[in-house]
RNA sequence: GCUCCUAUCGUCUAGAGGCCUAGGACGGAGCCCUCUCAAGGCUUAAACCCGGGUUCGAAUCCCGGUAGGAGCGCCA
């Protein structure tokens, strides 16, 4: 993969500044998969440049913010391993004094002013503008201008505070992903930075927070591009240097429509239940909108090593569950089983089975990972190692528990019982030898054994399966199957 | 309506003016291997939104369409 000669990311404007990124969700619901990718990109970019990655909770909307949502965000990020470099993270509601201080300064400096227009008045204004096919925006009726005479403040109304946006010139957002985006100041109206009750609003808090936290690179969803010029103007009014912005496009559902609950799993934590390993989900996510030549699989270190905001796609991408599952499978097949073990353990409990009541999970993972793309599937197909059979798969039993098989199973059971040693080697020799002796294809023997000991015709290689299940369980299940077959055949 | 953004196989993408007869991956189809299911190997179908320009040469640069999307709150 050829490197481009010069990268903006390698030449920061302020070489001595530590790269600082942040992920700033508002706790109004679960951690969305799109949010997780934004967090990933922020994290990767910071780590790539030996910088800091921070979390911030944007809870200024007290109506919709909940403690449960805060917890969901923490849980999701912890599961993914995208935890903040600074803990606990700042909450905006804890910083109201600071915001008020800055607002007071701006009022003093004349970069902000009081506006007494009521909501009803503003609604009326917007409807009229829409009717005239204009962009709905504040008309500046309370904006002080040299020589302008302001109306008398109405009694009994607490004013909001508006930012006094420049009316001339333009703002250039030099987006690291999208390139330069130009906005005319004339298009921007005077946004509210403090509500009637004195609480600050989002666009303002973001600016102050990013400034105070020393954020150098703002990575966020591209639904924020239109906010960016205003935020830059506020920063300039404050005398601060704006950060570098990178707006990442959204993640769409398979049908090309904005991802929603209707598409199934949207919350990060849903992917755990689906059987994804966090590293694999991250791997899929990093490739959704970013690439490094033809490489599909990345370790976390490689991601950190290679990630680059400049190579992030400008167009939205669709979430493809099939490919995500493929990536997960690749991870499962090659990862150190010890890393998979805790998650697999979680899944076994999730399907109602006690991991202590059976073989060690590591060899089970090694035996199953070739045929299981997700841990949910692996847990489901491994239940029989840890709990008694709940019955046989109907089709499999009908197909493999023939009269002939019952005889075979009975004879084989006796041979296995006589085995002095229960190992994959002795098991392999016994079963294969038995089939050869009878002049049968191994499948003829192995399939009935599978159904007998696992309840279904899909298991790892038969010798491995018998070994992992153990002598006692194998023998008793074989016996039960013989009885079952005999009854079935005998009973017609 | 206004502002802003985007456009390569079904999907994720490579592509930085000649290396493109457009590459890889998922998914699809076929074959091989095989104790089940898988895994693996091989083969294969499948795309530059349209129209103009610039250039000896355009998927790539420019302009215009078209189509999608985002934003236009005392939400974040």
């Amino acid at each position: 993969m050829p490197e481009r000669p010069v990268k903006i990311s390698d030449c920061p404007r302020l070489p001595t500044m530590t790269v600082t990124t942040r992920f700033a969700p508002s706790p109004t619901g679960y951690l969305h998969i799109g949010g997780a990718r934004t967090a990933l990109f922020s994290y990767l970019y910071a780590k790539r440049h030996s910088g800091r990655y921070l979390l911030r909770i944007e809870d200024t909307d007290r109506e919709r913010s909940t403690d449960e949502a805060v917890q969901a965000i923490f849980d999701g990020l912890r599961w993914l391993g995208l935890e903040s470099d600074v803990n606990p993270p700042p909450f905006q509601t804890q910083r109201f004094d600071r915001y008020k201080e800055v607002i007071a300064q701006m009022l003093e400096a004349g970069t902000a002013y009081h506006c007494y227009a009521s909501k009803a008045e503003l609604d009326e204004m917007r409807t009229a503008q829409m009717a005239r096919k204009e962009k709905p925006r504040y008309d500046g009726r309370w904006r002080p201008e040299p020589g302008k005479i302001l109306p008398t403040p109405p009694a009994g109304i607490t004013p909001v505070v508006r930012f006094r946006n420049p009316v001339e010139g333009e703002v250039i957002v030099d987006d690291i992903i999208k390139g330069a985006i130009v906005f005319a100041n004339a298009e921007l109206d005077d946004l509210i930075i403090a509500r009637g009750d004195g609480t600050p609003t989002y666009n303002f808090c973001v600016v102050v927070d990013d400034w105070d936290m020393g954020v150098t690179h703002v990575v966020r969803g591209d639904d924020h591009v239109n906010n960016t010029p205003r935020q830059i103007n506020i920063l300039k009014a404050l005398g601060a240097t704006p950060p570098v912005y990178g707006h990442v496009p959204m993640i769409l559902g398979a049908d090309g429509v904005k991802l929603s609950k209707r598409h199934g799993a949207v919350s990060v934590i849903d992917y755990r239940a689906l059987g994804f390993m966090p590293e694999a989900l991250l791997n899929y996510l990093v490739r959704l909108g970013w690439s490094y030549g033809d490489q599909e699989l990345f370790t976390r270190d490689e991601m950190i090593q290679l990630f680059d905001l400049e190579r992030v796609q400008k167009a939205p991408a669709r979430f493809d569950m099939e490919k995500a599952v493929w990536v997960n499978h690749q991870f499962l097949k090659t990862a150190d089983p010890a890393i998979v073990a805790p998650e697999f353990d979680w899944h076994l409990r999730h399907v109602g089975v006690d991991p202590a009541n059976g073989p060690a999970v590591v060899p089970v993972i090694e035996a199953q990972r070739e045929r299981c793309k997700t841990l949910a599937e692996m847990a489901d197909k491994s239940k029989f190692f840890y709990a008694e059979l709940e019955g046989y798969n109907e089709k499999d039993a009908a197909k493999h528990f023939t009269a002939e098989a019952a005889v075979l199973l009975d004879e084989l059971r006796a041979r296995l019982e006589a085995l002095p040693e229960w190992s994959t080697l002795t098991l392999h020799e016994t079963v294969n030898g038995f089939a050869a002796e009878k002049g049968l294809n191994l499948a003829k023997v192995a399939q009935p054994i599978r159904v007998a000991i696992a309840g279904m015709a899909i298991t790892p290689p038969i010798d491995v399966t018998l070994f992992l299940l153990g002598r006692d369980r194998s023998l008793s299940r074989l016996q039960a199957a013989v009885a079952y077959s005999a009854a079935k055949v005998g009973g017609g």
Side-chain angles (χ1 to χ4, degrees):
Chain A
M1 183 60 214
E3 292 273 314
R4 274 191 282 174
V6 178
K7 293 183 177 180
I8 293 172
S9 52
D10 290 334
C11 313
R13 307 172 190 184
L14 301 170
T16 54
M17 197 187 267
T18 305
V19 168
T20 303
T21 63
R22 51 49 163 199
F23 176 55
S26 52
T28 54
Y30 46 76
L31 176 58
H32 190 274
I33 193 78
R37 188 183 59 160
T38 305
L40 209 216
F41 285 3
S42 302
Y43 170 90
L44 257 19
Y45 191 77
K47 297 300 166 191
R48 157 87 193 267
H49 296 282
S50 318
R52 299 180 299 162
Y53 155 80
L54 310 173
L55 177 64
R56 180 174 76 223
I57 304 297
E58 308 216 319
D59 57 346
T60 49
D61 183 355
R62 289 152 140 170
E63 305 277 295
R64 296 195 301 150
S65 299
T66 65
D67 291 345
E68 294 73 50
V70 170
Q71 198 52 49
I73 289 165
F74 286 165
D75 290 348
L77 291 175
R78 185 179 329 110
W79 183 67
L80 289 172
L82 298 177
E83 287 174 283
S84 177
D85 288 339
V86 172
N87 274 299
F91 283 62
Q92 288 185 327
T93 44
Q94 298 164 345
R95 291 175 41 81
F96 276 13
D97 289 347
R98 170 61 176 152
Y99 305 136
K100 282 178 183 161
E101 178 190 23
V102 179
I103 287 167
Q105 282 169 15
M106 291 176 76
L107 249 12
E108 179 69 25
T111 53
Y113 61 93
H114 289 296
C115 167
Y116 293 84
S118 68
K119 288 184 191 181
E121 200 179 327
L122 293 171
D123 278 347
E124 197 182 311
M125 179 185 81
R126 277 190 279 261
T127 347
Q129 285 165 335
M130 294 279 250
R132 271 180 270 131
K133 303 197 171 183
E134 286 168 17
K135 181 177 180 172
R137 53 204 293 238
Y138 180 64
D139 62 3
R141 57 185 68 174
W142 290 92
R143 177 182 168 116
E145 297 289 2
K148 175 176 168 186
I149 298 164
L150 261 22
T152 324
I157 291 184
T158 45
V160 300
V161 178
R162 285 186 186 270
F163 171 61
R164 195 166 183 280
N165 195 80
V167 275
E168 289 179 343
E170 51 194 25
V171 187
I172 299 169
V173 180
D174 197 3
D175 195 285
I176 196 169
I177 294 170
K178 305 228 178 213
I181 308 170
V182 183
F183 293 88
N185 271 324
E187 288 295 331
L188 275 22
D189 62 356
D190 292 352
L191 78 163
I192 292 171
I193 59 176
R195 303 180 179 96
D197 65 3
T199 57
T201 59
Y202 165 78
N203 276 293
F204 179 73
C205 296
V206 167
V207 164
V208 176
D209 287 341
D210 286 342
W211 185 28
D212 287 353
M213 290 165 81
V215 172
T216 59
H217 298 259
V218 171
V219 181
R220 63 193 350 176
D222 71 359
D223 47 333
H224 287 288
V225 285
N226 290 292
N227 290 328
T228 309
R230 291 183 233 254
Q231 292 178 3
I232 289 176
N233 282 338
I234 295 176
L235 245 6
K236 283 180 180 163
L238 256 21
T241 308
V244 174
Y245 292 91
H247 287 99
V248 327
M250 1 185 257
I251 297 180
L252 271 21
D255 53 1
V257 176
K258 191 172 180 171
L259 203 56
S260 70
K261 272 146 288 179
R262 188 168 56 76
H263 292 95
V266 192
S267 165
V268 163
I269 222 66
D270 291 343
Y271 287 85
R272 183 182 202 188
L274 247 25
F276 281 88
M277 281 296 289
E279 293 86 345
L281 185 58
L282 255 22
N283 188 155
Y284 175 72
L285 252 19
V286 81
R287 274 290 283 105
L288 200 59
W290 174 80
S291 63
Y292 186 74
D294 288 338
Q295 189 169 344
E296 299 286 351
L297 272 12
F298 298 84
T299 63
R300 184 183 285 254
D301 284 345
E302 283 177 312
M303 290 186 213
I304 291 172
Q305 204 77 218
L306 305 170
F307 183 76
D308 187 349
L309 283 172
E310 290 176 298
R311 294 191 59 89
V312 171
Q313 211 73 18
K314 293 180 191 158
R318 301 182 192 209
F319 191 98
D320 182 357
M321 188 58 88
E322 306 234 44
K323 185 152 183 184
V325 165
W326 177 80
V327 172
N328 194 55
H329 192 200
Q330 296 306 308
F331 182 88
L332 252 22
K333 284 198 303 176
T334 53
D336 178 349
I339 291 172
V340 179
E343 276 300 300
F344 181 52
D345 193 279
W346 184 90
H347 278 275
L348 283 174
R349 294 174 197 280
H350 197 72
V351 294
V353 130
D354 180 4
N357 186 34
V361 293
V362 166
V364 173
I365 292 166
E366 285 170 330
Q368 295 278 221
R369 60 182 179 179
E370 257 182 30
R371 76 208 78 250
C372 300
K373 294 178 198 253
T374 68
L375 289 171
E377 184 186 352
M378 193 184 285
D380 186 55
K381 287 188 171 142
S382 303
K383 259 159 88 172
F384 73 92
F385 284 124
Y386 301 92
E388 292 317 308
L389 259 29
E390 288 165 6
Y392 301 113
N393 174 288
E394 239 176 83
K395 277 188 182 168
D396 291 342
K399 182 172 179 188
H400 300 292
F401 285 168
T402 58
E404 183 197 11
V407 176
L408 249 27
L409 246 26
D410 197 30
E411 194 178 338
L412 183 69
R413 192 200 59 80
R415 287 205 199 182
L416 291 174
E417 191 169 25
L419 235 37
E421 189 199 340
W422 195 265
S423 70
T424 47
L425 185 66
T426 56
L427 258 11
H428 181 85
E429 284 171 348
T430 308
V431 177
N432 284 57
F434 180 75
E437 210 177 284
K438 302 286 176 189
L440 295 169
N441 188 309
L442 184 56
K444 275 283 183 200
V445 178
Q447 289 303 80
I449 302 177
R450 285 196 163 88
V451 183
I453 66 175
M456 59 186 163
I458 300 172
T459 79
I462 199 64
D463 46 0
V464 174
T465 308
L466 283 163
F467 174 72
L468 288 173
L469 222 212
R471 186 175 190 274
D472 292 351
R473 272 179 171 157
S474 299
L475 259 23
S476 68
R477 287 185 194 178
L478 246 16
Q479 185 153 38
V482 171
Y484 176 92
S485 310
K488 189 187 81 171
V489 174

